[in-house]
Amino acid sequence: VQLQAFGGRLVQARGSLRLSCAASERIFSSYAMGWFRQAPGKEREFVAVISGSGGITDYTDSVKGRFTISRDNAKNTVYLQMNSAKPEDTAVYYCAASARYTTYASTYDYWGQGTLVTVSS
């Protein structure tokens, strides 16, 4: 499975943007999809995950109520809607696919190349 993440850009604090991640495989719906991020000098951290059907989602506490993960299996695409952006959201965002529903980066099988989100104060 090849993943291509895009949509990252410079956004002002309290602004919104949507990240997208397109997958190459028609079996996309078999995979849970996650978003992770890595800020400069920090370890990669979990942001959000969505089940293969889209019926189950989880978020890290710092983005709950602000970010929404969703997917369109007909388009093999997963999205991350980011609202009320904060400077601490600045990071490279990665999408990933896992055969299991999980929040642990080490258990993800496939990764996209990352897209940079910069939130200015």
Side-chain angles (χ1 to χ4, degrees):
V1 177
Q2 293 184 337
L3 303 175
Q4 179 79 25
F6 52 95
R9 59 178 175 84
L10 175 65
V11 62
Q12 290 187 338
R14 297 177 297 280
S16 298
L17 76 164
R18 187 176 78 164
L19 305 182
S20 301
C21 174
S24 62
E25 299 290 325
R26 288 182 294 175
I27 58 173
F28 175 72
S29 62
S30 299
Y31 292 91
M33 296 297 297
W35 285 98
F36 293 79
R37 65 187 180 186
Q38 188 166 15
K42 296 187 177 181
E43 294 186 353
R44 190 172 300 189
E45 66 170 347
F46 165 76
V47 176
V49 60
I50 187 167
S51 63
S53 66
I56 304 172
T57 58
D58 277 294
Y59 301 88
T60 191
D61 286 346
S62 63
V63 309
K64 285 180 180 177
R66 300 189 298 120
F67 291 9
T68 302
I69 188 171
S70 62
R71 66 191 297 161
D72 184 340
N73 286 344
K75 297 182 178 180
N76 290 353
T77 302
V78 63
Y79 305 98
L80 184 69
Q81 178 67 42
M82 303 171 60
N83 297 331
S84 302
K86 301 178 180 181
E88 51 263 43
D89 294 324
T90 295
V92 176
Y93 283 72
Y94 299 88
C95 61
S98 174
R100 297 190 296 156
Y101 185 82
T102 174
T103 63
Y104 295 98
S106 61
T107 59
Y108 277 74
D109 305 295
Y110 305 99
W111 290 83
Q113 84 290 357
T115 186
L116 176 62
V117 173
T118 303
V119 183
S120 63
S121 58

